[in-house]
Amino acid sequence: MSDINRRFFLRVTGAGLAAGAVPGALKASTNPELYLPNKGDCIAISSGNGVEAVARARKLVMEENMRPVSAAVRGVAIVEADPNDLSVGYGGLPNELGVVQLDSACMDGPTHNAGSVASMEDIMHPAQVAELVMDHTDHVNLVGPGARQFALDYGFKAENLLTDRAREIWLKWRSKRSDDDRLWPLGDTVPADPALADEPRPWGTIHCSVLAPDGNLGCCTTTSGLAFKIPGRIGDSPLIGCGLYCDNGVGSAGATGRGEAAILSGGSWLIVERMRAGDTPEEACLFALRRVAEQAERSAKWQPALWKDGSPNFGLTFYAVRKDGLYGSANMRGSAWFAIADEKGARKEACAVAFK
Ligand code: ASP
């Protein structure tokens, strides 16, 4: 055994502790309060665009005994393949050069392992590639051409993900863009598709967290990211702790909306830690949104991202499920919906709101 491996072995197994051979080594916590009891149902929660996704994820867990992370990945595949969802996978809005670049990550509770791909082109199901990164490499993040090649190596086919509809919206956006366009989110509009006219530059993503009846957790987030982004920009969705996070002893969480805010706050990690400390999922999501709002206020000098009442002028929504089966979601401002599947079926429920 090499010296490094030996030290790792001692740390993980505690084999050195008895002999006092590893001064300062941490002991794993045995506090039972950190590990919530599970009540035996399967709960799948997602962003509002995921009613079918949560239904599929729950079915896969209940009927095929699939692990939660894989069920989440297969649930969101419905949205990745949907040309009508302008925010995820095939049909997602492209970057400023008209190229669709996808971000995704997944995380497995029982192994506390994760995989992600970022800024990946031509592959319709980035969440499935992220799952392969998790299962077949000792890396967590693959980016750009490396991620694409990895997907091709595993048999994914390269295809054009830019639909005619997304291309038309991009062309209209390009014809109207102004010199200060990169100053998003201030005043940026996409006066393009009738469905998007006068709306702020659109976001969209799907996050899905799944709790299995045995108490295991897993999650996944997948997106085409911010529409018309600078090529190479990655959001929170492929970043562990930001667009998703789970801890098998506590719960799972994820985000959609302004990725930069979920990154700067470590939003999903924060929610799981709040749940560990005793918050309900909804309380934890609201806590994280308030933290984001405070941080946005601090950054207001260089990015005046605030409404007159002091709340951030960007969208952000968090979703969470706790190991004991409680679930919840909160939106930064105004009404929003999340999708949930449990023993009562798959449906939408209203998110709590941080700023009315
Ligand atoms: N969070 C995603 C990103 O920033 C976009 C979204 O959820 O709308 O890339």
Side-chain angles (χ1 to χ4, degrees):
M1 199 185 286
S2 75
D3 193 39
I4 290 178
N5 283 341
R6 186 169 171 281
R7 268 184 276 145
F8 181 74
F9 174 78
L10 289 173
R11 191 154 45 87
V12 168
T13 63
L17 289 177
V22 190
L26 293 174
K27 238 173 86 183
S29 171
T30 50
N31 179 355
E33 284 170 11
L34 295 182
Y35 297 90
L36 296 162
N38 169 257
K39 298 211 181 88
D41 188 19
C42 173
I43 314 274
I45 184 170
S46 82
S47 37
N49 52 351
V51 177
E52 285 176 70
V54 290
R56 179 189 279 182
R58 186 169 188 279
K59 192 164 186 275
L60 289 169
V61 171
M62 297 304 281
E63 293 178 14
E64 296 182 27
N65 203 21
M66 191 177 277
R67 64 179 178 168
V69 63
S70 300
V73 165
R74 268 136 208 94
V76 302
I78 296 173
V79 183
E80 288 177 328
D82 179 358
N84 296 316
D85 192 309
L86 293 167
S87 67
V88 181
Y90 178 59
L93 291 173
N95 66 18
E96 66 178 2
L97 300 180
V99 178
V100 179
Q101 293 186 322
L102 304 179
D103 294 344
S104 181
C106 64
M107 189 157 188
D108 177 48
T111 56
H112 203 72
N113 198 7
S116 97
V117 291
S119 210
M120 185 175 70
E121 297 173 10
D122 303 331
I123 309 292
M124 189 186 291
H125 291 294
Q128 291 171 28
V129 185
E131 189 183 18
L132 287 168
V133 173
M134 177 178 80
D135 286 339
H136 296 283
T137 78
D138 69 345
H139 305 341
V140 173
N141 305 113
L142 294 183
V143 64
R148 181 181 183 278
Q149 185 58 50
F150 178 84
L152 296 177
D153 292 346
Y154 274 88
F156 286 80
K157 75 174 188 269
E159 52 199 320
N160 178 18
L161 302 179
L162 187 67
T163 58
D164 287 347
R165 181 167 178 230
R167 188 170 46 80
E168 274 167 31
I169 295 171
W170 166 68
L171 285 173
K172 284 183 194 158
W173 165 80
R174 198 177 65 169
S175 71
K176 303 264 165 113
R177 73 184 291 186
S178 66
D179 289 348
D180 65 357
D181 191 73
R182 282 188 184 162
L183 292 181
W184 174 88
L186 283 183
D188 255 355
T189 57
V190 184
D193 186 270
L196 300 171
D198 301 326
E199 289 297 319
R201 184 183 287 193
W203 296 276
T205 291
I206 179 164
H207 167 77
C208 181
S209 278
V210 178
L211 169 71
D214 61 6
N216 284 330
L217 289 147
C219 60
C220 146
T221 303
T222 180
T223 189
S224 51
L226 177 68
F228 322 129
K229 60 196 174 187
I230 297 172
R233 175 265 188 193
I234 65 172
D236 57 319
S237 310
L239 300 181
I240 307 307
C242 304
L244 74 168
Y245 190 72
C246 74
D247 181 313
N248 217 45
V250 178
S252 179
T256 62
R258 182 172 182 182
E260 282 71 11
I263 295 169
L264 292 170
S265 61
S268 296
W269 179 85
L270 177 60
I271 289 166
V272 171
E273 290 309 307
R274 288 296 303 184
M275 293 196 291
R276 190 197 302 278
D279 274 5
T280 65
E282 186 177 295
E283 286 167 349
C285 292
L286 286 167
F287 181 95
L289 288 172
R290 286 191 210 102
R291 173 70 59 80
V292 168
E294 285 164 26
Q295 291 166 343
E297 203 177 340
R298 265 180 263 156
S299 67
K301 272 197 194 132
W302 58 269
Q303 180 184 276
L306 299 175
W307 293 105
K308 284 204 182 92
D309 66 2
S311 65
N313 69 351
F314 50 78
L316 186 62
T317 315
F318 287 121
Y319 316 86
V321 61
R322 218 167 62 172
K323 196 176 169 83
D324 60 0
L326 272 188
Y327 62 85
S329 168
N331 188 42
M332 184 63 88
R333 197 188 173 82
S335 59
W337 300 88
F338 65 97
I340 185 79
D342 58 13
E343 59 195 357
K344 290 183 259 164
R347 60 196 180 275
K348 282 191 189 183
E349 289 190 10
C351 304
V353 179
F355 295 91
K356 299 278 176 212

